[in-house]
Amino acid sequence: MVTFLPSRPGRLADVPSFDRAIGGAESNVACALAAFGHRARWAGRVGADGFGDHLLERIAGYGVDVSSVRRDPDRPTGVYFRTAGERGTGAHEVAYYRAGSAASAMSARNMDLVAVRAGRVLHLSGITAALSDDCRELLRELLAPGPGRPLISFDVNHRPHLWRHADGGAILRELARAADIVFVGEDEAEHAWGITGGPEAIRAALPEPGLLVVKQGARGATAFGRGPYAGAVGSGAVGSGAVGSEVVNAGSADAGSVDAGSPSWSHHEPAPRTAVVATTGAGDAFAAGFLSGTLRGLPPRDRVRHGHLFAAAALTTPGDLAAPPSRDHADRLAALDDDAWGRLRLGPGWTQADRAPKEANIP
């Protein structure tokens, strides 16, 4: 989608002007992965309008392949406006204009499924499922077992404002259970499924995915898995596909299947202390960082740490999308011992620091 960010805090009714930017869960993931050096494809649908032009130009500018994006001559590109307040508080307002958008018309009939499945990792979002019946059926088609099915990553991304379906929570749970890697926030699990009791309770409710990552806000994240810790999903390429905020195909390497009988493990990693400018887009950035670490075959600790570092890049900028730190920079920080990692402080501009100690305020 095209996003409009407020020029100052206040109610939507009071904000006098907005700055245009780009946004969308899957495209955010694709852009972050491409900026970090992976190959990414974004596939989806946008309108044959100026906003569609803007999205494609900006996303391609991050190095993302947009050749599989379709232009819809009859439906507009989706847009949304938001206030400067934090998501999840009464001060935060979001106005979506997506009904009848090009993205909402995505289906298994009008998408290039060969291109979408061409990557080694296919990243999907629950936002797509909220857009229309056709979008939901597209996700079910992509998640169905069969030859040529890539490793599938699914971010629950529960957005109550988008759902007009009474069974939204049940649909998200169905889709998550069919994926290989699942990202879900502790708060999302409570709102969508009524699950409380922490990450272990969420894992008990979602035992099927080979990898489950429960995001816990400032407290960090807990990853659950089966089988050996390592297991590169590949050595580099990632594909991604989506529209505005619709379908993403992130692809690069073969993770292989995980035997349901394999030993289980879990790993909690605290998040570094971060001076938050805005929270929008941080979840997408976390997914990109974790997927990057998975593609590179990093151990669970470093996968989660890369997720936190990508999220910190988004948290310290005002828009939905922020370029991650350089690969060398991220790797240096992820390799810190637990004590140094616990003392890390990240603020606006930290991704531009040449060396890790410049952004680490260690008392």
Side-chain angles (χ1 to χ4, degrees):
M1 297 174 298
V2 170
T3 68
F4 288 91
L5 310 177
S7 57
R8 64 174 175 79
R11 301 184 309 153
L12 283 178
D14 300 328
V15 175
S17 60
F18 296 81
D19 294 320
R20 184 181 63 177
I22 65 172
E26 302 87 349
S27 57
N28 287 346
V29 172
C31 289
L33 285 167
F36 203 64
H38 297 284
R39 292 202 308 273
R41 173 182 296 131
W42 181 71
R45 293 174 67 83
V46 298
D49 51 28
F51 285 154
D53 293 341
H54 176 66
L55 280 173
L56 293 183
E57 290 168 6
R58 286 290 309 280
I59 293 169
Y62 279 86
V64 176
D65 176 359
V66 295
S67 61
S68 296
V69 177
R70 300 289 182 259
R71 307 299 296 270
D72 192 322
D74 302 316
R75 298 177 181 84
T77 302
V79 302
Y80 87 101
F81 296 78
R82 67 175 173 86
T83 58
E86 295 296 333
R87 179 177 285 157
T89 71
H92 183 73
E93 295 177 79
V94 175
Y96 288 102
Y97 295 91
R98 307 186 66 174
S101 69
S104 69
M106 287 190 300
S107 72
R109 300 180 301 278
N110 61 27
M111 293 291 293
D112 183 351
L113 298 187
V114 173
V116 170
R117 291 178 172 131
R120 303 259 180 105
V121 176
L122 171 63
H123 181 68
L124 306 172
S125 166
I127 293 174
T128 305
L131 297 180
S132 68
D133 291 342
D134 280 344
C135 284
R136 284 188 285 279
E137 290 309 310
L138 171 62
L139 292 194
R140 289 185 174 116
E141 171 76 18
L142 292 171
L143 283 159
R149 180 188 187 271
L151 186 80
I152 295 184
S153 163
F154 180 74
D155 194 333
V156 171
N157 266 326
H158 179 48
R159 299 289 184 269
H161 295 293
L162 286 177
W163 280 98
R164 294 178 174 83
H165 200 293
D167 296 328
I171 291 169
L172 290 172
R173 192 165 177 175
E174 168 207 339
L175 298 173
R177 292 174 118 168
D180 303 298
I181 303 173
V182 172
F183 300 94
V184 63
E186 212 171 15
D187 56 344
E188 288 180 307
E190 180 176 0
H191 296 152
W193 305 321
I195 299 174
T196 58
E200 289 75 16
I202 298 170
R203 181 53 162 172
L206 284 177
E208 297 87 355
L211 279 171
L212 171 68
V213 184
V214 179
K215 297 172 290 183
Q216 300 168 266
R219 287 173 291 142
T222 301
F224 297 87
R226 290 192 300 274
Y229 273 2
V233 191
S235 55
V238 178
S240 257
V243 104
S245 187
E246 281 29 287
V247 192
V248 175
N249 150 38
S252 176
D254 199 271
S257 60
V258 178
D259 185 344
S262 299
S264 297
W265 54 264
S266 66
H267 178 81
H268 174 79
E269 191 64 31
R273 295 186 187 180
T274 304
V276 176
V277 174
T279 59
T280 307
D284 305 328
F286 180 95
F290 187 92
L291 289 174
S292 174
T294 301
L295 290 166
R296 298 170 64 198
L298 301 182
R301 186 202 73 167
D302 290 2
R303 296 184 197 188
V304 179
R305 284 190 175 185
H306 275 77
H308 286 325
L309 292 169
F310 277 47
L315 289 168
T316 51
T317 57
D320 287 24
L321 180 60
S326 69
R327 185 171 295 199
D328 287 346
H329 191 175
D331 286 348
R332 284 197 300 270
L333 292 180
L336 291 173
D337 62 42
D338 289 347
D339 187 53
W341 176 262
R343 297 196 305 271
L344 195 60
R345 306 290 185 270
L346 304 176
W350 74 270
T351 59
Q352 305 306 310
D354 292 329
R355 297 191 61 81
K358 291 187 178 180
E359 74 278 349
N361 177 16
I362 301 175

